[in-house]
Amino acid sequence: MDFTTGGRLEVRITPDDVGKRVSVRLLTEDREPGATFTDVVGVLTSWTEGTLSITRRTGEPVRIAESSLVAGKVVPAAPARRRGPATSAPELDRVAARAWPPVTSEPLGEWTLRASGGFTRRANSVLPLGDPGMGLDAALRRVTEWYAARELPAYIQVSTGAEGTQELLAAELESRGWIREVSSLMEIAALAPIGDLDADTSAVTLSARLDDAWLTRYQRSSGEPSPEARTVLSGGPSVWFATIAAEEGGAPAAIGRCVVDGRWAGFTAVEVAPERRRQGLAKAVMTALARKALDEGASAAYLQVETDNGGAHALYEGMGFTVHHSYHHWRVSGKDPR
């Protein structure tokens, strides 16, 4: 990364650049030979009292003493991915929200408050795409009151790492004592190569109806699934459930879910019985669902996976999925959000 002008390192950023994507070089605390400098790239979210805060694309905040800066400049927004369909983070977040619809929702300006009896954070968090129509402190008070009235913790889903994401909001939440609990990746791929995978789909049954057998394999169903869980899972523009029956009865060997929404096919709940893993069942489920989505006119695929699920990352990377951006669920703490 070139920070020089006429061969000299220069700091070409100021506090006026808050909100922009920047690249900085700074002195390390441990000045070991050959490791004097380190670089940080991300969105400059604050610059106050001699300290900069930069949020990386992963959502990780980095605090830097102004005195340690040796170079810095504004850089373009993260480039479009070389593989996979072209899209923006807000578009993907809206599509994914339609595929996992809450039982109850209410607008707050351009934000959407979502509640589903506590079934998953995605269906019980604020989707903050735009302006809440009031100051942030007033909006956060309204959010906490709305969830408290439903006996739920207040969560806000915040995306980072792409053009149009919400690093500034993440920094504001952190400064107010909100806690980042879970981070996930939004991954995308072209749909046709998934449908063309060499997978034996003969044992896969597809249905547009959620049934009890499918639910017995679904890991979030502990005991009798709640009405809210059934509503969320069944919701979406065009929903398909895939099942591979167990050889000797009981819970299915594998399941999956796909929601078709225009050009997008969203994959969720791909699960395989522990004793049947590494037998190609997840691949078969994904392939069968992709072929159905292609029949309905979709051309692009997405899925959401928690950052610490290494096995799933390896599976999906092998199918052509790449990371588009990250998102994180921030929970209100006991601290008064002002």
Side-chain angles (χ1 to χ4, degrees):
M1 181 91 46
D2 183 12
F3 292 100
T4 62
T5 299
R8 293 183 306 141
L9 291 171
E10 290 189 352
V11 177
R12 303 199 295 269
I13 58 174
T14 73
D16 291 337
D17 293 314
V18 168
K20 298 178 182 178
R21 187 168 181 261
V22 300
S23 177
V24 302
R25 179 164 293 171
L26 57 144
L27 289 169
T28 58
E29 293 182 2
D30 299 322
R31 302 189 180 187
E32 300 175 358
T36 305
F37 302 108
T38 187
D39 294 339
V40 178
V41 178
V43 174
L44 179 63
T45 49
S46 69
W47 188 333
T48 57
E49 300 179 351
T51 301
L52 293 74
S53 182
I54 294 176
T55 301
R56 300 182 190 268
R57 71 182 304 271
T58 60
E60 173 196 3
V62 180
R63 288 174 180 79
I64 300 167
E66 183 178 345
S67 59
S68 70
L69 284 180
V70 295
K73 65 178 182 179
V74 174
V75 295
R81 302 296 179 265
R82 295 182 179 179
R83 293 189 294 162
T87 186
S88 68
E91 177 192 359
L92 265 179
D93 288 343
R94 289 189 179 96
V95 170
R98 290 196 294 268
W100 202 257
V103 174
T104 302
S105 65
E106 182 177 314
L108 181 64
E110 295 176 307
W111 290 12
T112 303
L113 283 59
R114 305 174 292 181
S116 302
F119 173 69
T120 71
R121 291 178 181 84
R122 278 181 287 166
N124 292 272
S125 58
V126 179
L127 189 65
L129 299 181
D131 187 338
M134 60 185 72
L136 180 60
D137 291 326
L140 295 180
R141 282 194 295 271
R142 173 61 182 144
V143 166
T144 55
E145 291 166 359
W146 193 84
Y147 284 98
R150 290 157 178 79
E151 299 183 341
L152 294 169
Y155 282 98
I156 299 180
Q157 180 178 315
V158 180
S159 293
T160 63
E163 188 172 2
T165 50
Q166 300 132 348
E167 284 83 355
L168 288 175
L169 176 57
E172 294 286 0
L173 293 175
E174 183 183 32
S175 73
R176 287 161 171 79
W178 287 60
I179 301 165
R180 189 177 68 169
E181 282 196 347
V182 177
S183 294
S184 300
L185 301 176
M186 181 76 78
E187 302 189 3
I188 60 173
L191 185 61
I194 303 171
D196 288 340
L197 289 172
D198 182 17
D200 180 5
T201 62
S202 60
V204 181
T205 300
L206 298 181
S207 174
R209 185 179 66 86
L210 175 63
D211 60 35
D212 291 340
W214 190 96
L215 284 165
T216 60
R217 173 54 57 201
Y218 184 53
Q219 65 176 345
R220 294 184 185 272
S221 298
S222 54
E224 177 64 23
S226 67
E228 292 87 355
R230 291 177 181 271
T231 298
V232 172
L233 288 164
S234 299
S238 178
V239 187
W240 289 95
F241 299 93
T243 303
I244 298 178
E247 294 177 352
E248 298 180 359
I255 60 170
R257 175 179 177 269
C258 180
V259 179
V260 183
D261 183 355
R263 70 175 178 135
W264 288 104
F267 296 88
T268 61
V270 178
E271 299 181 15
V272 178
E275 69 276 9
R276 297 294 306 276
R277 290 173 184 167
R278 301 186 182 278
Q279 298 177 19
L281 301 191
K283 181 179 176 182
V285 163
M286 293 278 289
T287 301
L289 288 169
R291 290 172 183 173
K292 173 57 72 174
L294 287 165
D295 289 343
E296 295 197 351
S299 60
Y302 73 89
L303 51 81
Q304 297 151 287
V305 58
E306 292 185 5
T307 53
D308 60 358
N309 192 341
H313 290 303
L315 171 67
Y316 299 139
E317 183 179 358
M319 293 182 177
F321 282 91
T322 58
V323 175
H324 186 274
H325 65 275
S326 302
Y327 69 91
H328 322 272
H329 283 102
W330 289 79
R331 177 178 57 81
V332 69
S333 68
K335 180 180 176 182
D336 183 353
R338 300 183 192 176

